[in-house]
Amino acid sequence: MTETTGKINLLGLTQPKLEAFFEELGEKRFRAGQVMKWIHHFGVDNFDDMTNVGKALRDKLKARAEIRGPEVVSEDISKDGTRKWVVRVASGSCVETVYIPQNGRGTLCVSSQAGCALDCSFCSTGKQGFNSDLTAAEIIGQVWIANKSFGTVPAKVDRAITNVVMMGMGEPLLNFDNVVDAMTLMMDDLGYGISKRKVTLSTSGVVPMIEKLGKVTDVALALSLHAPNDELRNQLVPLNKKYPLAVLLPACNNYIAGLGEKRYLTIEYTLLKDVNDQPEHARQMIELLRETPCKINLIPFNPFPHSGYERPSNNAIRRFQDLLHNAGYNVTVRTTRGEDIDAACGQLVGQVMDRTRRSERYIAVRQLAEEQVEITPSTNRR
Ligand code: SAH
Ligand code: SF4
């Protein structure tokens, strides 16, 4: 339901929910499938375009319902083919969606919240504070908009988007129901028909929600680890104080075990110069992940203003990768894409109307720290 029109937005409804809607209207359930194909396969937002739906029902639908994606504020295309959309959601904030074409795949990075309450120390989204959860329509709407922009209809046949990662703005597990509904639509054949192995939810580690996730879906899981011990992880990912590694890793292992054969946890590890990129950290990680079927994805830090962190040298990145690789792990280094349009991991800022006022506090504190550094140049800047 959107606040402005009082009409039900059909964009975010899963098949069972849309069937229930049609039953309530006194219509047959099979109408749900017809309408879903129009919405998701053909990108239609006007009931009159639904040629296999009779006029009387179309009129009924127009009176009660709508198909409304978030408003597109801008669309940028990078010279490497990466695309970025800024979309405005109902709360008034803007979030970002990024499309990354690579090696025959097209990965869409989708946002789940406007801002984020979790405040990881190296993440620009976290520094924006938190404004709102996105609705299921606003989450799947990002896929709908991207898909339409490629003109690939029907979406299932000529695919531009082969993979979706919930790695945009926000912590998806803190907007559980809407994210699960949107991911269900991504995988549904009446939606985007993407395989469960190619829809990935990335979390900083909300343990009870990882357990809950395993009961309702079987998407791929990525864990934002970033540190191999609690002391360091408490500093980088404050949520670790609530759910430390001793409970987090077993929760992830259980989730992966529930998926069955040949499924892996993706470990994301943002490399921060002199903070978590030392050989000792690699060695601790090798021990920590012994029991976890995983692939490791190293993300060299993407800088943003006043972050206080730096990207390690290529040599340091290679050294870290080699240590893990030599211990038998499958390790990739994420290449930075779409830098010219600020579309890289951790650079997504949107335009969050911060309800927590964290962004103001953050900027004030960083400015103060930088002024002090100027006065005493010998101070260690980290
Ligand atoms: N909130 C979720 C998903 C969004 S962030 C999560 O934390 O997993 C997607 C990934 O980008 C996470 O692994 C996050 O830690 C990483 N990231 C955030 N800021 C970054 C930066 N400045 N440079 C590189 N990676 C960053
Ligand atoms: Fe939120 Fe993820 Fe950024 Fe942490 S890394 S602040 S959980 S978006």
Side-chain angles (χ1 to χ4, degrees):
M1 182 91 73
T2 59
E3 293 73 22
T4 41
T5 61
K7 291 182 178 178
I8 292 175
N9 189 356
L10 305 189
L11 181 60
L13 298 189
T14 58
Q15 188 180 1
K17 287 185 178 171
L18 196 55
E19 283 174 350
F21 166 77
F22 275 104
E23 269 191 337
E24 224 181 275
L25 279 189
E27 299 287 338
K28 295 269 190 298
R29 293 166 73 89
F30 78 90
R31 293 290 183 191
Q34 285 181 324
V35 168
M36 282 179 77
K37 284 187 192 166
W38 283 114
I39 298 175
H40 301 291
H41 294 187
F42 294 95
V44 161
D45 60 2
N46 179 350
F47 293 111
D48 281 333
D49 291 341
M50 301 183 178
T51 49
N52 57 357
V53 177
K55 178 147 187 342
L57 177 54
R58 293 203 309 263
D59 287 343
K60 213 165 164 182
L61 286 172
K62 276 191 264 180
R64 294 281 301 275
E66 62 180 356
I67 300 156
R68 181 135 66 108
E71 176 200 347
V72 179
V73 176
S74 65
E75 177 175 354
D76 289 307
I77 304 184
S78 156
K79 51 184 190 288
D80 67 14
T82 301
R83 294 184 185 210
K84 183 175 88 171
W85 294 264
V86 175
V87 301
R88 183 170 290 116
V89 295
S91 65
S93 286
C94 291
V95 300
E96 302 186 2
T97 312
V98 178
Y99 176 79
I100 307 142
Q102 199 167 29
N103 305 333
R105 286 196 310 250
T107 302
L108 194 69
C109 180
V110 168
S111 293
S112 57
Q113 297 181 309
C116 182
L118 294 183
D119 200 17
C120 299
S121 63
F122 53 87
C123 172
S124 63
T125 302
K127 298 306 158 210
Q128 302 283 301
F130 174 75
N131 181 260
S132 60
D133 283 336
L134 269 53
T135 63
E138 288 166 344
I139 300 168
I140 198 68
Q142 297 167 61
V143 185
W144 185 71
I145 286 166
N147 203 51
K148 287 208 292 184
S149 89
F150 291 108
T152 47
V153 286
K156 274 189 61 193
V157 177
D158 189 6
R159 288 169 197 269
I161 301 166
T162 59
N163 299 58
V164 177
V165 291
M166 298 300 308
M167 293 183 189
M169 297 170 68
E171 167 50 56
L173 289 185
L174 292 182
N175 184 12
F176 191 88
D177 294 341
N178 293 333
V179 165
V180 167
D181 276 5
M183 292 191 310
T184 303
L185 284 167
M186 292 168 200
M187 294 184 286
D188 192 335
D189 274 342
L190 293 168
Y192 299 86
I194 302 172
S195 129
K196 61 189 179 188
R197 292 165 188 268
K198 295 181 176 179
V199 172
T200 303
L201 183 145
S202 172
T203 181
S204 55
V206 192
V207 167
M209 294 299 161
I210 296 174
E211 287 157 6
K212 195 170 163 191
L213 191 70
K215 298 196 173 95
V216 296
T217 188
D218 50 5
V219 297
L221 185 66
L223 172 65
S224 291
L225 184 66
H226 310 310
N229 62 63
D230 282 325
E231 195 190 346
L232 183 55
R233 196 163 191 271
N234 286 346
Q235 290 167 33
L236 302 180
V237 183
L239 185 68
N240 194 71
K241 292 178 204 151
K242 196 162 180 190
Y243 305 116
L245 293 168
V247 295
L248 176 56
L249 281 168
C252 292
N253 291 344
N254 269 343
Y255 182 88
I256 297 301
L259 298 179
E261 294 274 285
K262 292 190 184 153
R263 301 288 296 266
Y264 297 89
L265 178 68
T266 298
I267 297 286
E268 295 167 280
Y269 193 97
T270 297
L271 282 168
L272 306 162
K273 184 179 175 187
D274 297 337
V275 175
N276 66 357
D277 65 342
Q278 299 299 304
E280 181 51 27
H281 299 122
R283 281 191 276 273
Q284 288 178 15
M285 203 160 148
I286 291 164
E287 285 311 310
L288 183 73
L289 296 174
R290 282 243 176 270
E291 306 297 319
T292 303
C294 63
K295 294 182 177 177
I296 299 172
N297 194 215
L298 302 175
I299 318 171
F301 174 64
N302 289 309
F304 57 90
H306 312 296
S307 74
Y309 291 107
E310 288 174 50
R311 179 193 296 239
S313 68
N314 286 344
N315 276 346
I317 296 169
R318 172 57 69 86
R319 182 183 61 187
F320 200 87
Q321 181 182 21
D322 285 349
L323 282 169
L324 296 171
H325 180 80
N326 294 340
Y329 288 95
N330 178 331
V331 197
T332 49
V333 178
R334 198 177 293 175
T335 48
T336 302
R337 302 292 305 274
E339 237 172 342
D340 51 333
I341 55 169
D342 284 343
C345 284
Q347 286 182 327
L348 305 186
V349 291
Q351 201 184 72
V352 176
M353 298 197 288
D354 179 14
R355 290 202 308 212
T356 60
R357 301 193 62 204
R358 181 189 308 135
S359 50
E360 286 168 37
R361 291 197 304 269
Y362 174 73
I363 288 167
V365 169
R366 294 287 341 158
Q367 275 170 352
L368 196 65
E370 278 165 24
E371 279 160 21
Q372 283 167 354
V373 168
E374 265 166 40
I375 300 163
T376 51
S378 60
T379 313
N380 180 345
R381 249 194 105 131
R382 214 193 77 228

